[in-house]
Amino acid sequence: MPKEKSAGLIVFRKENGVTYYLLLHYPAINRKGGHWEFTKGHVEKDESEKETALREAAEETGIRDLKIVPGFKKYIKYFFRAKKEESQKTKKVAWIFKLVIFFIAETKTKNVELSHEHISFLWLP
């Protein structure tokens, strides 16, 4: 079974005593409405999980002043189906095992510059 490994950040900022968390809206691929998620992306060769998480956050949001909070590292695991065009190459549906490592990071930046991968974002308390 194919496997993928990604790393990401739970990005937060504080404003007037309230903590806000950043969520990104991914467009629909195999389901209506898309989904909301934290920043994340594939771990590249010779790149640490933290380096991946910081790089992906910068690429997806334009935020670069991120400070990872020590002691927080959470994993999620799930299966997903390969994209339609990938499945058609093999003429069968391919299931992929995904491991995502999340860190938490603080920013002072409120402005988000979305990449082409996303359709919107929210800062939520």
Side-chain angles (χ1 to χ4, degrees):
M1 173 179 296
K3 298 178 183 178
E4 287 186 11
K5 182 179 178 184
S6 292
L9 292 177
I10 300 168
V11 177
F12 73 96
R13 66 180 177 78
K14 295 181 180 180
E15 184 177 318
N16 299 323
V18 178
T19 302
Y20 293 91
Y21 297 90
L22 179 63
L23 284 175
L24 303 178
H25 192 185
Y26 289 75
I29 295 174
N30 295 328
R31 57 185 138 169
K32 284 186 170 183
H35 67 283
W36 292 85
E37 179 91 57
F38 301 113
T39 69
K40 72 178 187 323
H42 293 109
V43 176
E44 302 290 335
K45 185 180 176 188
D46 299 325
E47 186 177 54
S48 75
E49 294 162 353
K50 286 183 181 179
E51 288 170 335
T52 297
L54 290 167
R55 175 183 53 78
E56 286 290 338
E59 288 175 3
E60 295 179 355
T61 68
I63 298 174
R64 296 186 179 345
D65 68 335
L66 294 157
K67 293 186 178 34
I68 292 178
V69 176
F72 183 96
K73 185 177 183 180
K74 299 295 178 190
Y75 300 86
I76 61 170
K77 302 172 190 176
Y78 57 91
F79 294 91
F80 70 95
R81 281 193 237 178
K83 293 178 184 172
K84 193 173 186 177
E85 62 270 11
E86 293 171 5
S87 297
Q88 289 175 342
K89 290 178 190 173
T90 62
K91 301 292 185 201
K92 63 181 180 179
V93 174
W95 285 95
I96 299 170
F97 173 78
K98 178 93 169 203
L99 171 67
V100 184
I101 301 99
F102 281 108
F103 302 95
I104 192 165
E106 185 172 9
T107 182
K108 303 286 185 205
T109 303
K110 184 176 182 177
N111 185 43
V112 174
E113 298 171 16
L114 286 179
S115 73
H116 68 280
E117 298 177 55
H118 307 94
I119 53 179
S120 63
F121 71 92
L122 288 172
W123 284 105
L124 297 173

